């Protein structure tokens, strides 16, 4: 089979990711924003988004195990069709059910599906391209993901502001159906594995195998996971809660204008990921794992101008631009780090269980996210009028984590 970087099947995976991730990004933008517009509560927003992460944490290992034992193409097709069905059910009940409960359940399903979906995408890369192309292939996947995440919130914000939530939902439904139909024609090499005993025994054995590999065979991966968990807790969660809350509820930009500007800010966040993905691809041969810690430090440093602007400047628009630029830079640095780590893991992990190893890594990395979302939702609620305190706390905690992490990669 042709395993060049830009083979037909790899490109079809990429195109499917563009369509599917566009819909996903628009949904993750519109549904939480709809909740925030209705309630104005950062605590409720943080709690609901925290709950939404729980199924992703639980289902990501399952997705990895399935990715190793079932044709990865079939996993992608089924989950895209299922996502479309979830959106249609939300549309059916949104005018008759308790909206907060319905939003929470819908977001939980969507995040759970995404958690089960991504291991199949990442695990398909070694099956479709040669090892020397892993860094470039991951760069392409991350760049496409960031591009879709860039366009999703921007177009989602325009549609949401002009036509309301229902239009966004119908557009996303079409995206997932088109993606699923296209993915039917992808050919990914698959060799069925024999399994002994019940599904729970298989899950337990695979999970133990993955944990042993991560913590004993490759301890540097385990140490990296602890760093990522702390960064997710102190930095990623702050951005996810602060960006919508500050822009739509704190900066006095006007309701309709704030929603549109939040869409552009979310797009800028994704554009940072796009820039980081492109840089990772261009400089693939010059980026070494030993220098990964410096990228995390750079991300943490970018938090401090956000806090300083909130203290020193009363202009909503100036604060908006500072926050947006800083988020762009944070995302760019963190994306390069992510590409490096994923390429390293794929190169060091045997293909026979790469799916479940990636799934366990994603699961552990995500564990801190819901805790962080809930934490920052409460902190912003407590510190009304002094939001800069929460932002600066995030910067200090992230920088301390990043400095301690740099030593992990120096001698590897």
């Amino acid at each position: 089979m042709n395993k060049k970087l830009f083979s037909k099947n790899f490109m079809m995976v990429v195109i499917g990711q563009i369509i599917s991730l566009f819909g996903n990004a628009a949904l993750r933008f519109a549904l939480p924003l709809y909740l925030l517009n209705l309630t104005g509560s950062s605590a409720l927003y943080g709690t609901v988004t925290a709950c939404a992460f729980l199924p992703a944490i639980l289902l990501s290992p399952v997705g990895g195990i399935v990715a190793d034992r079932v044709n990865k193409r079939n996993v992608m097709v089924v989950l895209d069709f299922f996502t479309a069905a979830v959106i249609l059910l939300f549309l059916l009940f949104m005018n008759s059910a308790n909206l907060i409960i319905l939003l929470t359940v819908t977001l939980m399903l969507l995040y759970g599906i995404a958690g089960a979906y991504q291991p199949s995408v990442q695990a398909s890369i070694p099956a479709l391209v040669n090892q020397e192309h892993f860094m470039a292939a991951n760069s392409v996947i991350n760049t496409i993901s960031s591009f879709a995440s860039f366009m999703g919130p921007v177009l989602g914000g325009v549609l949401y502001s002009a036509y309301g939530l229902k239009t966004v939902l119908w557009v996303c439904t079409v995206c997932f159906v088109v993606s699923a139909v296209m993915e039917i024609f992808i050919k990914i090499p698959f060799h069925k594995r024999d399994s002994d005993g019940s599904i729970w025994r298989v899950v337990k054995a695979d999970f133990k195998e993955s944990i042993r590999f991560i913590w004993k065979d490759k301890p540097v991966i385990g140490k990296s996971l602890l760093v990522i968990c702390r960064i997710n807790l102190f930095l990623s969660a702050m951005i996810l809660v602060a960006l919508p809350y500050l822009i739509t509820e704190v900066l006095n930009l006007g309701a309709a204008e704030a929603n549109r500007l939040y869409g552009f800010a979310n797009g800028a966040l994704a554009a940072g990921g796009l820039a980081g993905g492109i840089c990772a691809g261009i400089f693939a041969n010059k980026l070494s794992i030993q220098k990964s810690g410096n990228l995390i430090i750079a991300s943490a440093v970018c938090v401090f101008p956000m806090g300083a602007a909130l203290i020193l400047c009363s202009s909503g628009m100036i604060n908006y631009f500072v926050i947006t630029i800083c988020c762009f830079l944070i995302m760019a640095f963190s994306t390069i780090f992510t590409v490096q780590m994923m390429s390293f893991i794929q190169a060091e992990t045997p293909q026979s269980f790469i799916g479940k190893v990636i799934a366990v890594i994603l699961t552990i990395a995500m564990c801190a996210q819901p805790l962080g979302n809930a934490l920052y939702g409460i902190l912003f609620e407590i510190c009304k009028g002094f939001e800069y305190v929460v932002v600066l706390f995030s910067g200090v905690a992230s920088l301390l984590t990043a400095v301690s992490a740099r030593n992990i990669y120096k001698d590897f």
Side-chain angles (χ1 to χ4, degrees):
M1 181 179 177
N2 183 7
K3 296 185 73 175
K4 293 180 180 179
L5 176 58
F6 294 107
S7 65
K8 175 185 173 183
N9 290 300
F10 178 71
M11 290 309 300
M12 289 180 73
V13 169
V14 168
I15 295 170
Q17 285 285 283
I18 294 174
I19 301 170
S20 180
L21 290 173
F22 167 80
N24 210 300
L27 283 174
R28 293 191 185 192
F29 164 81
L31 290 176
L33 180 59
Y34 186 62
L35 174 66
L36 190 59
N37 287 165
L38 287 177
T39 65
S41 170
S42 67
L44 181 60
Y45 176 89
T47 301
V48 169
T49 54
C51 290
F53 270 99
L54 296 178
I57 293 172
L58 295 173
L59 290 178
S60 186
V62 177
I65 292 168
V66 170
D68 286 334
R69 298 180 179 273
V70 178
N71 193 309
K72 300 169 185 64
R73 177 204 61 195
N74 295 344
V75 175
M76 297 180 207
V77 171
V78 169
L79 291 180
D80 273 338
F81 274 130
F82 186 57
T83 305
V86 169
I87 303 170
L88 291 174
L89 287 173
F90 180 88
L91 282 164
L92 181 64
F93 291 107
M94 69 179 293
N95 293 323
S96 57
N98 182 300
L99 195 57
I100 292 176
I101 295 176
L102 183 62
L103 274 167
T104 303
V105 172
T106 302
L107 284 170
M108 290 177 73
L109 287 171
L110 293 173
Y111 275 74
I113 293 168
Y117 186 98
Q118 283 307 309
S120 290
V121 175
Q122 295 292 347
S124 69
I125 292 175
L128 295 175
V129 302
N130 291 319
Q131 182 171 330
E132 62 265 27
H133 299 310
F134 281 1
M135 187 74 171
N138 279 292
S139 174
V140 170
I141 292 292
N142 275 272
T143 300
I144 291 304
S145 175
S146 299
F147 178 75
S149 298
F150 166 71
M151 294 305 298
V154 171
L155 296 182
V158 173
L159 290 174
Y160 180 82
S161 299
Y163 303 105
L165 180 64
K166 288 186 177 181
T167 299
V168 177
L169 296 178
W170 280 114
V171 171
C172 292
T173 302
V174 172
C175 286
F176 286 110
V177 171
V178 171
S179 177
V181 171
M182 193 207 70
E183 287 163 349
I184 292 172
F185 302 98
I186 298 174
K187 294 181 180 179
I188 299 176
F190 171 68
H191 302 286
K192 188 174 181 178
R193 293 176 57 187
D194 295 329
S195 60
D196 299 322
S198 67
I199 183 64
W200 296 113
R201 184 177 297 177
V202 171
V203 170
K204 184 179 179 181
D206 283 359
F207 191 79
K208 281 185 176 180
E209 188 178 21
S210 301
I211 292 295
R212 184 179 66 251
F213 178 82
I214 292 168
W215 293 105
K216 292 185 177 181
D217 297 343
K218 292 291 179 181
V220 68
I221 297 178
K223 292 177 182 179
S224 299
L225 279 178
L226 293 178
V227 172
I228 293 169
C229 285
R230 292 167 65 184
I231 293 297
N232 280 348
L233 176 64
F234 294 119
L235 180 58
S236 300
M238 187 277 291
I239 291 174
L240 288 176
V241 175
L243 203 60
Y245 180 66
L246 293 177
I247 293 173
T248 64
E249 304 296 327
V250 175
L251 297 184
N252 296 319
L253 297 170
E257 182 69 11
N259 288 338
R260 190 158 44 249
L261 288 173
Y262 170 52
F264 291 132
N266 228 327
L269 192 67
L274 180 63
I278 292 172
C279 288
I282 293 173
F283 302 109
N285 296 327
K286 297 181 180 180
L287 294 171
S288 64
I289 194 70
Q290 291 87 350
K291 297 180 180 179
S292 295
N294 295 333
L295 295 169
I296 308 174
I297 292 175
S299 297
V301 168
C302 292
V303 174
F304 292 97
M306 297 168 58
L310 289 171
I311 296 172
L312 301 174
C313 184
S314 60
S315 169
M317 285 304 297
I318 292 177
N319 274 287
Y320 169 78
F321 283 118
V322 171
I323 290 170
T324 302
I325 292 169
C326 288
C327 287
F328 171 89
L329 293 172
I330 291 169
M331 193 64 182
F333 290 126
S334 62
T335 299
I336 298 173
F337 174 77
T338 300
V339 171
Q340 280 187 303
M341 286 306 303
M342 191 58 66
S343 301
F344 171 73
I345 292 165
Q346 288 167 343
E348 296 294 321
T349 305
Q351 287 197 31
S352 59
F353 59 99
I354 190 170
K356 56 180 171 283
V357 168
I358 289 175
V360 170
I361 289 168
L362 293 175
T363 298
I364 296 174
M366 283 190 294
C367 281
Q369 196 74 61
L371 293 175
N373 283 16
L375 170 67
Y376 283 108
I378 294 170
L379 288 178
F380 277 119
E381 197 84 6
I382 293 172
C383 298
K384 277 190 175 180
F386 301 94
E387 289 81 9
Y388 62 85
V389 173
V390 182
V391 175
L392 292 177
F393 163 76
S394 168
V396 171
S398 301
L399 187 59
L400 291 174
T401 299
V403 170
S404 65
R406 186 170 56 178
N407 295 327
I408 294 175
Y409 308 105
K410 274 186 175 180
D411 302 322
F412 184 76

